[in-house]
Amino acid sequence: MSDAAAAAAQDDETLKSNRVASVGLALIFLLFLPPWQLIDSLDKGVLNSFVSSPPSSCLPSTTTTTVTSYHTPLSTSSSTEDPEPPKMSTERTFIAIKPDGVQRGLVGPILSRFENRGYKLVAIKLMTPGKAHLEKHYADLAGKPFFPGLIEYMNSGPICAMVWEGRDAVKTGRVLLGATNPLASAPGTIRGDFAIDVGRNVCHGSDSVENAEKEIALWFKPEDLVSYKAAAFDWVYEKA
């Protein structure tokens, strides 16, 4: 073999060795990268650049490199923000036990449902309000075909009118009463336990805070409403 051929063969072997070393060095370098930078590096052809132009050092550079983060930075706002303050514990609702409830002796059991839940009785009276008063109370139903029968039924005997006070009293009062149609009321509710027919559904409850205020003003004078702190208040509410 001539000297020229031997030199060419040696250059060939050197080139192959350099390429093998470059590939190994590239793999070692990639092992030091975070997963997201590794993917980015492969996309940009880092391995090819190592093979074609191997660096002088056989180890990855120890100089600090800037890594682009693809993660959303954590919020700097406080994670211990105060929760929404509880609704006031002085909300009031109007509840009336209708003539059928009074005649069936259900005043006590219905009262106990509200007391046992933790609501405070602010006013109560047994009365026969009269047709004009009832028509004013049910004025929003005046155009309904059942209106005359409703007034006759409500005027057929005494009504136990009450005002209850406590947190979310209007909404929870409606839950305690149950659905207007007793057959659709869940067991455990007043109507679900004590009524069957929608025309004898035992009780009435305000359907909104605004209507509760109107109904309380219609059925009671301001001096009829007793303001006091119930002895059990601190055992019912964690925060006033």
Side-chain angles (χ1 to χ4, degrees):
M1 181 184 293
S2 65
D3 292 341
Q10 187 175 2
D11 289 343
D12 237 2
E13 287 299 322
T14 301
L15 183 58
K16 288 179 181 179
S17 297
N18 287 342
R19 288 186 177 276
V20 171
S22 298
V23 171
L25 183 59
L27 292 175
I28 292 172
F29 174 79
L30 293 175
L31 288 175
F32 284 86
L33 294 177
W36 57 85
Q37 193 176 7
L38 173 60
I39 296 171
D40 191 47
S41 299
L42 291 175
D43 288 342
K44 293 179 180 178
V46 169
L47 184 60
N48 290 335
S49 65
F50 264 90
V51 175
S52 59
S53 304
S56 56
S57 172
C58 292
L59 293 175
S61 172
T62 58
T63 58
T64 304
T65 57
T66 301
V67 178
T68 303
S69 173
Y70 294 94
H71 298 282
T72 304
L74 294 176
S75 173
T76 56
S77 61
S78 171
S79 59
T80 58
E81 293 178 356
D82 291 334
E84 183 181 347
K87 295 181 180 180
M88 62 180 181
S89 56
T90 56
E91 183 176 294
R92 290 175 174 176
T93 188
F94 174 74
I95 302 293
I97 302 175
K98 298 178 180 180
D100 53 318
V102 174
Q103 294 286 4
R104 291 174 58 197
L106 296 176
V107 172
I110 292 173
L111 274 167
S112 67
R113 296 293 180 98
F114 285 86
E115 285 185 323
N116 292 341
R117 185 61 186 264
Y119 287 105
K120 181 177 73 175
L121 184 63
V122 173
I124 182 170
K125 60 182 175 181
L126 193 66
M127 58 186 296
T128 49
K131 185 177 178 181
H133 184 100
L134 292 169
E135 287 176 345
K136 190 172 183 180
H137 176 81
Y138 287 110
D140 59 320
L141 301 176
K144 302 292 183 179
F146 58 80
F147 183 74
L150 173 63
I151 299 303
E152 183 181 358
Y153 152 61
M154 290 295 292
N155 199 38
S156 64
I159 294 171
C160 182
M162 302 175 286
V163 178
W164 291 91
E165 181 180 287
R167 183 163 297 150
D168 218 3
V170 172
K171 180 180 177 181
T172 308
R174 298 281 291 185
V175 173
L176 289 173
L177 296 184
T180 302
N181 184 350
L183 294 179
S185 297
T189 62
I190 292 170
R191 288 170 177 151
D193 289 349
F194 299 132
I196 296 175
D197 195 353
V198 68
R200 296 291 184 270
N201 64 1
V202 176
C203 46
H204 163 85
S206 302
D207 58 5
S208 69
V209 174
E210 293 75 20
N211 282 339
E213 292 173 352
K214 293 176 183 177
E215 291 173 352
I216 291 170
L218 176 64
W219 289 77
F220 293 93
K221 299 175 182 178
E223 57 267 27
D224 293 334
L225 308 177
V226 181
S227 180
Y228 65 102
K229 181 177 180 179
F233 181 88
D234 293 328
W235 296 108
V236 174
Y237 300 102
E238 180 184 6
K239 297 179 180 179

